[in-house]
Amino acid sequence: MTSVLNYEPLVLEPRKTAPALTAIQEEILALKRERNAVILAHNYQIEAIQQVADYVGDSLGLSYQAQAAQADVILFCGVHFMAETAKIVNPGRTVLLPDLEAGCSLSDSCPAERLAAYKAANPDVYVVAYINCSAAVKALSDVIVTSGNAMKIVGKVPADREILFVPDQNLGQWVSSKTGRQMRLWPGSCYAHVQFTTSAIEKIRAQFPDAPVVAHPECTQAVRDLADEVCSTELMVKFAKETPADRIIVVTESGMLHRLRKDVPHKTFIAGPTDTCACNDCRFMKMNTIEKVRDALKNMAPQIDLPEDIRTKALAPIQRMLDWSR
Ligand code: 13P
Ligand code: SF4
């Protein structure tokens, strides 16, 4: 018999109206007009930030939005590699990140020097890099993928090339199993997504037997195998709209629940639990606060800057991805 969670699950029920904007959110909207800024936010940001953003989405959607942005300033509410990607594709704009310390454990698991050494020892590998990596790693890669387009992009890599997939072994394993393409996997992972366990997911499922489970591919294979659907955060919105179920268990970072509640307002969303907590926050994503968003626009800092040689080398594999995934 499946045992039960020893804490209350986090359940977001449908609600009639979203919270009214606060004074600080109104201040941000005024500053945004004054600075001619656009606010791009990842699905994992807190609700108050998502509410003032011009666009909320996954890494792929955010890359397209950043490239197309016409505003003088891009205020990027996400983590460092995402803001860096915005600067790489749109160098003429000022790119702000509310907290420069907002990094990513996955990105950190593949330092550029180690990848350069690997390539020196294995010069024929074709490097497919998940977008969760630094500009210096992108500059060493052949093509970039996101969780939203990885299968499609890997399908376009010449069949006679051996692929090294960096830095997420879980996403790499998922893509490999879906495409049948053998790949060498870099041993990196997302510290947050690997906290989801089969035992916690089995318990929540027993509590909500009618609710399908949707999981992010950064979860371990054992957790992915329990899910009804595995997809990027943006595709979770599509899944939630299309499934006949009224309640859905969402196995990814908890900010996603706000986006789902906004876009699919008549359904209920249950946070995927870990062994110790009803939901799972990424500590890096949560470094951005509403005060820091306001201060970034006020002070026009912190800004993202990149050496031009790294930027142009990193742009080539990103551009290949954007072209291949249209
Ligand atoms: P998505 O591109 O699916 O939003 O994923 C980004 C991310 O960092 C997941 O941890
Ligand atoms: Fe990185 Fe994981 Fe946080 Fe995504 S959730 S930004 S992969 S640490």
Side-chain angles (χ1 to χ4, degrees):
M1 202 185 91
T2 313
S3 54
V4 292
L5 292 165
N6 55 6
Y7 44 80
E8 282 301 304
L10 176 69
V11 179
L12 296 196
E13 307 268 4
R15 64 181 175 199
K16 291 218 164 47
T17 49
L21 292 187
T22 60
I24 189 162
Q25 286 174 303
E26 297 285 5
E27 196 183 347
I28 290 166
L29 295 179
L31 281 163
K32 193 170 72 139
R33 285 189 292 274
E34 205 177 293
R35 298 292 193 195
N36 187 24
V38 65
I39 301 183
L40 306 182
H42 188 263
N43 287 320
Y44 296 164
Q45 294 295 287
I46 57 168
E47 184 175 33
I49 293 180
Q50 294 195 18
Q51 277 187 299
V52 294
D54 296 283
Y55 177 84
V56 181
D58 69 353
S59 304
L60 182 60
L62 288 163
S63 304
Y64 280 120
Q65 290 292 323
Q67 192 175 45
Q70 300 289 320
D72 296 330
V73 178
I74 300 172
L75 173 55
F76 205 106
C77 299
V79 292
H80 193 273
F81 76 81
M82 295 179 171
E84 213 174 42
T85 304
K87 188 70 182 177
I88 294 166
V89 297
N90 204 339
R93 319 282 158 190
T94 300
V95 177
L96 303 172
L97 179 65
D99 189 330
L100 278 186
E101 298 296 312
C104 167
S105 70
L106 190 47
S107 176
D108 290 348
S109 65
C110 185
E113 317 76 68
R114 276 185 49 211
L115 178 57
Y118 188 94
K119 280 186 71 179
N122 302 271
D124 294 332
V125 290
Y126 190 100
V127 181
V128 176
Y130 185 31
I131 197 163
N132 297 37
C133 63
S134 67
V137 165
K138 289 183 175 79
L140 292 167
S141 303
D142 293 291
V143 70
I144 305 302
V145 300
T146 72
S147 53
N149 65 13
M151 252 96 79
K152 191 173 183 179
I153 302 292
V154 165
K156 295 197 183 214
V157 175
D160 59 342
R161 298 293 301 274
E162 181 159 17
I163 295 177
L164 169 67
F165 190 94
V166 303
D168 190 7
Q169 57 186 317
N170 291 306
L171 183 87
Q173 197 182 44
W174 176 67
V175 176
S176 183
S177 69
K178 290 280 172 194
T179 59
R181 185 85 187 241
Q182 290 281 323
M183 304 192 294
R184 296 188 202 180
L185 303 177
W186 192 268
S189 58
C190 160
Y191 91 93
H193 282 87
V194 299
Q195 286 183 51
F196 293 114
T197 62
T198 53
S199 103
I201 304 307
E202 274 162 357
K203 286 175 192 166
I204 196 91
R205 184 162 232 172
Q207 213 169 326
F208 300 92
D210 55 305
V213 172
V214 61
H216 196 275
E218 286 171 21
C219 296
T220 62
Q221 184 177 2
V223 167
R224 292 196 311 267
D225 286 349
L226 287 179
D228 297 281
E229 180 72 11
V230 177
C231 58
S232 76
T233 57
E234 199 58 35
L235 290 174
M236 287 181 183
V237 179
K238 186 170 180 280
F239 175 81
K241 283 181 181 162
E242 290 175 359
T243 177
D246 290 326
R247 305 196 289 188
I248 298 137
I249 298 167
V250 183
V251 183
T252 193
E253 209 271 353
S254 61
M256 188 63 212
L257 275 76
H258 303 303
R259 170 76 199 284
L260 286 164
R261 180 143 83 158
K262 177 170 167 288
D263 279 36
V264 196
H266 56 291
K267 295 201 178 179
T268 294
F269 297 100
I270 302 147
T274 67
D275 286 338
T276 52
C277 196
C279 66
N280 197 354
D281 280 340
C282 165
R283 65 172 178 269
F284 303 108
M285 285 281 179
K286 265 39 189 198
M287 281 182 183
N288 295 326
T289 62
I290 198 75
E291 290 79 13
K292 289 182 198 172
V293 171
R294 187 260 328 268
D295 293 348
L297 280 176
K298 227 179 194 174
N299 306 327
M300 291 294 282
Q303 292 191 15
I304 300 288
D305 278 313
L306 275 169
E308 187 56 16
D309 61 326
I310 295 280
R311 191 195 70 77
T312 49
K313 282 189 197 138
L315 178 60
I318 296 175
Q319 193 56 54
R320 188 164 294 135
M321 169 189 81
L322 295 175
D323 295 343
W324 284 3
S325 78
R326 273 184 211 281

